[in-house]
Amino acid sequence: MREPNRNRGSIFVTGTDTGVGKTVLSLLLMRFFLMRGRTPFYLKPIQTGCVDAHDRDSDARFIYEHVPALAGKDPGDSVVYCFRSPKAPWFASGDEAEAIDPRKIAAYAERKRSAHSHIVLEGAGGLFVPVTEDVLMIDLIALLNARPILAARAGLGTINHTILAVEALKARRLDPLGIVFIDSGPTETPEQMVAENIEAVERFSGVKVAGTIGRIERWSEPGQECYRPLARLFGKR
Protein backbone atom coordinates (compact mmCIF):
# COMPACT_ATOMS: atom_id res chain seq x y z
CA MET A 1 0.00 0.00 0.00
CA ARG A 2 1.39 3.39 -0.95
CA GLU A 3 2.09 6.03 1.66
CA PRO A 4 -0.28 9.01 1.55
CA ASN A 5 1.16 12.18 0.06
CA ARG A 6 2.40 14.60 2.72
CA ASN A 7 3.10 18.30 2.39
CA ARG A 8 6.88 18.47 2.53
CA GLY A 9 6.72 22.01 3.90
CA SER A 10 4.66 20.97 6.92
CA ILE A 11 6.79 19.64 9.77
CA PHE A 12 5.30 18.35 13.00
CA VAL A 13 7.70 18.32 15.94
CA THR A 14 6.56 15.56 18.26
CA GLY A 15 8.27 13.83 21.15
CA THR A 16 8.64 10.61 23.07
CA ASP A 17 7.35 12.41 26.17
CA THR A 18 6.50 15.80 27.61
CA GLY A 19 9.45 18.06 28.37
CA VAL A 20 11.72 16.16 26.01
CA GLY A 21 12.83 19.20 23.99
CA LYS A 22 10.21 19.82 21.31
CA THR A 23 10.32 23.59 21.78
CA VAL A 24 14.11 23.64 21.56
CA LEU A 25 13.98 21.68 18.32
CA SER A 26 11.24 23.98 16.99
CA LEU A 27 13.36 27.04 17.79
CA LEU A 28 16.35 25.61 15.96
CA LEU A 29 14.22 24.66 12.96
CA MET A 30 12.89 28.21 12.70
CA ARG A 31 16.37 29.71 12.90
CA PHE A 32 17.79 27.10 10.51
CA PHE A 33 15.25 27.81 7.77
CA LEU A 34 15.59 31.57 8.18
CA MET A 35 19.37 31.33 7.85
CA ARG A 36 18.78 29.56 4.54
CA GLY A 37 16.60 32.37 3.25
CA ARG A 38 13.32 30.51 3.75
CA THR A 39 10.10 31.88 5.25
CA PRO A 40 9.02 29.48 8.02
CA PHE A 41 6.07 29.95 10.35
CA TYR A 42 5.92 28.51 13.86
CA LEU A 43 2.57 27.12 14.99
CA LYS A 44 1.70 25.69 18.38
CA PRO A 45 -1.84 24.45 17.72
CA ILE A 46 -2.60 23.77 21.39
CA GLN A 47 -0.78 25.23 24.37
CA THR A 48 -1.60 24.15 27.90
CA GLY A 49 -0.23 25.33 31.22
CA CYS A 50 -0.21 29.07 30.55
CA VAL A 51 -2.64 32.00 30.61
CA ASP A 52 -2.14 33.10 27.01
CA ALA A 53 0.44 33.22 24.24
CA HIS A 54 2.23 36.12 25.98
CA ASP A 55 2.61 34.30 29.30
CA ARG A 56 6.14 33.48 30.50
CA ASP A 57 5.31 29.76 30.18
CA SER A 58 4.18 30.12 26.57
CA ASP A 59 6.19 28.16 24.01
CA ALA A 60 5.23 30.68 21.34
CA ARG A 61 6.58 33.56 23.43
CA PHE A 62 9.86 31.66 23.88
CA ILE A 63 10.18 31.15 20.12
CA TYR A 64 9.35 34.77 19.30
CA GLU A 65 11.83 36.10 21.87
CA HIS A 66 14.72 34.11 20.43
CA VAL A 67 14.15 34.38 16.68
CA PRO A 68 15.30 37.86 15.55
CA ALA A 69 13.03 37.82 12.48
CA LEU A 70 10.02 37.60 14.80
CA ALA A 71 10.96 40.60 16.95
CA GLY A 72 7.97 42.86 17.51
CA LYS A 73 5.50 40.33 16.14
CA ASP A 74 2.63 38.86 18.11
CA PRO A 75 3.15 35.30 19.45
CA GLY A 76 -0.62 35.04 19.71
CA ASP A 77 -0.61 34.58 15.94
CA SER A 78 1.09 31.21 16.50
CA VAL A 79 -1.36 29.67 18.97
CA VAL A 80 -4.83 28.41 18.07
CA TYR A 81 -5.92 27.21 21.54
CA CYS A 82 -4.43 28.13 24.92
CA PHE A 83 -5.54 26.70 28.28
CA ARG A 84 -4.42 27.43 31.83
CA SER A 85 -4.31 23.92 33.23
CA PRO A 86 -1.04 22.00 32.68
CA LYS A 87 -2.89 18.91 31.47
CA ALA A 88 -3.60 16.97 28.32
CA PRO A 89 -5.55 19.23 25.94
CA TRP A 90 -8.77 17.22 26.27
CA PHE A 91 -8.91 17.81 30.01
CA ALA A 92 -7.40 21.32 29.98
CA SER A 93 -10.05 22.44 27.50
CA GLY A 94 -12.76 20.79 29.61
CA ASP A 95 -11.69 22.85 32.61
CA GLU A 96 -12.52 25.98 30.64
CA ALA A 97 -15.59 24.55 28.88
CA GLU A 98 -14.07 25.23 25.45
CA ALA A 99 -14.16 22.41 22.94
CA ILE A 100 -11.16 21.90 20.66
CA ASP A 101 -12.07 21.64 16.98
CA PRO A 102 -9.27 19.92 15.03
CA ARG A 103 -10.79 21.22 11.80
CA LYS A 104 -10.21 24.78 12.99
CA ILE A 105 -6.55 23.97 13.58
CA ALA A 106 -6.23 22.39 10.13
CA ALA A 107 -7.86 25.37 8.43
CA TYR A 108 -5.58 27.82 10.25
CA ALA A 109 -2.48 25.83 9.36
CA GLU A 110 -3.55 25.71 5.71
CA ARG A 111 -3.94 29.50 5.58
CA LYS A 112 -0.45 29.99 6.99
CA ARG A 113 1.01 27.34 4.70
CA SER A 114 0.05 29.30 1.61
CA ALA A 115 2.26 32.23 2.65
CA HIS A 116 5.29 30.44 4.08
CA SER A 117 7.95 28.01 2.90
CA HIS A 118 7.60 25.77 5.96
CA ILE A 119 5.14 25.38 8.80
CA VAL A 120 6.89 24.22 11.96
CA LEU A 121 4.13 22.69 14.05
CA GLU A 122 4.84 21.77 17.67
CA GLY A 123 2.70 19.21 19.44
CA ALA A 124 1.71 19.11 23.09
CA GLY A 125 3.15 16.14 24.97
CA GLY A 126 3.61 12.82 23.21
CA LEU A 127 1.85 11.00 20.41
CA PHE A 128 -0.96 9.50 22.44
CA VAL A 129 -1.92 12.59 24.40
CA PRO A 130 -5.69 13.12 23.92
CA VAL A 131 -6.67 16.27 22.07
CA THR A 132 -10.41 15.59 22.34
CA GLU A 133 -12.44 12.63 23.53
CA ASP A 134 -11.82 10.85 20.24
CA VAL A 135 -8.71 12.49 18.73
CA LEU A 136 -5.10 11.86 19.81
CA MET A 137 -2.06 13.99 19.00
CA ILE A 138 -0.96 11.37 16.47
CA ASP A 139 -4.32 11.79 14.70
CA LEU A 140 -3.72 15.54 14.53
CA ILE A 141 -0.43 14.95 12.68
CA ALA A 142 -2.30 13.05 9.98
CA LEU A 143 -5.09 15.63 9.82
CA LEU A 144 -2.53 18.40 9.30
CA ASN A 145 -0.91 16.45 6.47
CA ALA A 146 2.50 16.94 8.08
CA ARG A 147 5.74 15.00 8.28
CA PRO A 148 6.79 14.23 11.88
CA ILE A 149 10.23 14.79 13.36
CA LEU A 150 10.71 12.93 16.61
CA ALA A 151 12.49 14.62 19.51
CA ALA A 152 13.88 12.12 22.02
CA ARG A 153 16.08 12.19 25.08
CA ALA A 154 19.69 11.21 24.51
CA GLY A 155 20.19 9.25 27.73
CA LEU A 156 19.02 6.17 29.56
CA GLY A 157 15.55 4.90 28.62
CA THR A 158 15.41 6.50 25.20
CA ILE A 159 15.79 3.24 23.25
CA ASN A 160 12.47 1.84 24.41
CA HIS A 161 10.55 5.12 24.22
CA THR A 162 11.91 6.11 20.82
CA ILE A 163 11.32 2.75 19.14
CA LEU A 164 7.78 2.61 20.53
CA ALA A 165 7.09 6.10 19.15
CA VAL A 166 8.40 5.16 15.71
CA GLU A 167 6.31 1.98 15.70
CA ALA A 168 3.22 4.04 16.53
CA LEU A 169 3.91 6.49 13.70
CA LYS A 170 4.51 3.74 11.16
CA ALA A 171 1.33 1.96 12.23
CA ARG A 172 -0.56 5.13 11.19
CA ARG A 173 1.45 5.32 7.94
CA LEU A 174 3.23 8.45 9.17
CA ASP A 175 6.80 8.29 7.93
CA PRO A 176 9.18 10.20 10.26
CA LEU A 177 11.62 12.61 8.64
CA GLY A 178 14.08 11.58 11.30
CA ILE A 179 14.92 11.49 14.99
CA VAL A 180 16.85 14.12 16.93
CA PHE A 181 18.26 13.40 20.37
CA ILE A 182 18.13 16.23 22.90
CA ASP A 183 20.69 16.08 25.70
CA SER A 184 19.66 18.92 28.01
CA GLY A 185 19.74 17.21 31.41
CA PRO A 186 21.75 18.42 34.41
CA THR A 187 24.66 16.18 33.40
CA GLU A 188 25.87 15.36 29.91
CA THR A 189 25.11 11.83 28.71
CA PRO A 190 28.32 9.83 28.21
CA GLU A 191 29.35 9.63 24.56
CA GLN A 192 29.39 5.83 24.59
CA MET A 193 25.80 5.67 25.85
CA VAL A 194 24.65 8.15 23.18
CA ALA A 195 26.41 6.12 20.48
CA GLU A 196 24.85 2.87 21.73
CA ASN A 197 21.42 4.48 21.91
CA ILE A 198 21.73 5.72 18.34
CA GLU A 199 22.88 2.31 17.12
CA ALA A 200 19.98 0.51 18.80
CA VAL A 201 17.31 3.00 17.73
CA GLU A 202 18.43 2.99 14.10
CA ARG A 203 18.79 -0.77 13.96
CA PHE A 204 15.39 -1.61 15.41
CA SER A 205 13.32 1.33 14.17
CA GLY A 206 14.74 1.69 10.67
CA VAL A 207 14.82 5.49 11.09
CA LYS A 208 18.01 7.54 11.14
CA VAL A 209 19.01 9.56 14.18
CA ALA A 210 20.14 12.85 12.67
CA GLY A 211 22.27 13.74 15.67
CA THR A 212 22.29 15.08 19.20
CA ILE A 213 21.62 18.61 20.38
CA GLY A 214 23.38 19.39 23.64
CA ARG A 215 22.82 22.06 26.26
CA ILE A 216 22.39 25.56 24.83
CA GLU A 217 23.74 28.36 27.01
CA ARG A 218 22.38 31.31 25.01
CA TRP A 219 19.05 30.76 23.31
CA SER A 220 19.51 33.79 21.06
CA GLU A 221 22.88 32.49 19.84
CA PRO A 222 22.90 28.68 19.59
CA GLY A 223 26.24 27.26 18.50
CA GLN A 224 26.60 26.07 14.93
CA GLU A 225 26.88 22.50 16.18
CA CYS A 226 23.21 22.68 17.16
CA TYR A 227 22.21 22.90 13.49
CA ARG A 228 24.19 19.89 12.29
CA PRO A 229 21.35 17.39 12.84
CA LEU A 230 19.02 19.69 10.89
CA ALA A 231 21.51 20.04 8.06
CA ARG A 232 21.55 16.24 7.81
CA LEU A 233 17.76 16.20 7.61
CA PHE A 234 17.33 19.08 5.17
CA GLY A 235 20.71 19.35 3.48
CA LYS A 236 19.33 18.76 -0.01
CA ARG A 237 15.94 20.39 0.46
Side-chain angles (χ1 to χ4, degrees), residues 147-221:
R147 291 289 302 280
I149 293 180
L150 185 63
R153 290 185 176 87
L156 189 65
T158 199
I159 295 174
N160 181 69
H161 293 166
T162 305
I163 294 172
L164 282 172
V166 172
E167 288 291 313
L169 288 167
K170 288 184 174 181
R172 304 292 183 99
R173 300 175 65 212
L174 296 167
D175 183 28
L177 277 165
I179 300 163
V180 178
F181 280 174
I182 312 290
D183 193 20
S184 58
T187 59
E188 187 177 358
T189 304
E191 289 185 12
Q192 181 178 350
M193 177 177 285
V194 174
E196 291 170 348
N197 288 342
I198 291 174
E199 181 180 359
V201 166
E202 291 185 341
R203 179 179 180 85
F204 292 103
S205 75
V207 177
K208 294 291 291 183
V209 176
T212 303
I213 296 169
R215 179 178 291 276
I216 299 173
E217 299 297 334
R218 299 181 64 182
W219 296 113
S220 296
E221 296 180 2

Side-chain angles (χ1 to χ4, degrees), residues 32-233:
F32 176 81
F33 288 130
L34 284 163
M35 286 188 298
R36 292 193 162 204
R38 307 296 175 82
T39 56
F41 182 79
Y42 170 78
L43 181 56
K44 179 83 175 184
I46 308 165
Q47 171 78 67
T48 65
C50 67
V51 175
D52 55 38
H54 304 90
D55 188 77
R56 65 179 182 178
D57 293 322
S58 164
D59 293 335
R61 174 180 168 176
F62 174 81
I63 297 291
Y64 276 60
E65 285 182 344
H66 297 103
V67 175
L70 299 180
K73 297 184 179 180
D74 183 8
D77 194 35
S78 286
V79 180
V80 181
Y81 290 100
C82 188
F83 303 105
R84 292 179 175 83
S85 298
K87 302 178 179 179
W90 178 26
F91 300 112
S93 63
D95 288 347
E96 298 182 29
E98 180 180 359
I100 295 173
D101 184 354
R103 294 170 300 179
K104 178 180 177 180
I105 295 172
Y108 190 79
E110 186 60 35
R111 290 198 298 272
K112 293 299 181 182
R113 183 181 293 142
S114 64
H116 295 85
S117 64
H118 298 79
I119 304 297
V120 178
L121 297 134
E122 181 187 347
L127 291 169
F128 285 92
V129 167
V131 174
T132 70
E133 62 182 352
D134 53 11
V135 174
L136 298 168
M137 195 61 61
I138 194 169
D139 300 317
L140 191 59
I141 298 175
L143 178 64
L144 293 171
N145 196 29
R147 291 289 302 280
I149 293 180
L150 185 63
R153 290 185 176 87
L156 189 65
T158 199
I159 295 174
N160 181 69
H161 293 166
T162 305
I163 294 172
L164 282 172
V166 172
E167 288 291 313
L169 288 167
K170 288 184 174 181
R172 304 292 183 99
R173 300 175 65 212
L174 296 167
D175 183 28
L177 277 165
I179 300 163
V180 178
F181 280 174
I182 312 290
D183 193 20
S184 58
T187 59
E188 187 177 358
T189 304
E191 289 185 12
Q192 181 178 350
M193 177 177 285
V194 174
E196 291 170 348
N197 288 342
I198 291 174
E199 181 180 359
V201 166
E202 291 185 341
R203 179 179 180 85
F204 292 103
S205 75
V207 177
K208 294 291 291 183
V209 176
T212 303
I213 296 169
R215 179 178 291 276
I216 299 173
E217 299 297 334
R218 299 181 64 182
W219 296 113
S220 296
E221 296 180 2
Q224 288 301 307
E225 68 277 2
C226 295
Y227 300 107
R228 289 172 188 160
L230 307 186
R232 294 186 187 105
L233 287 174

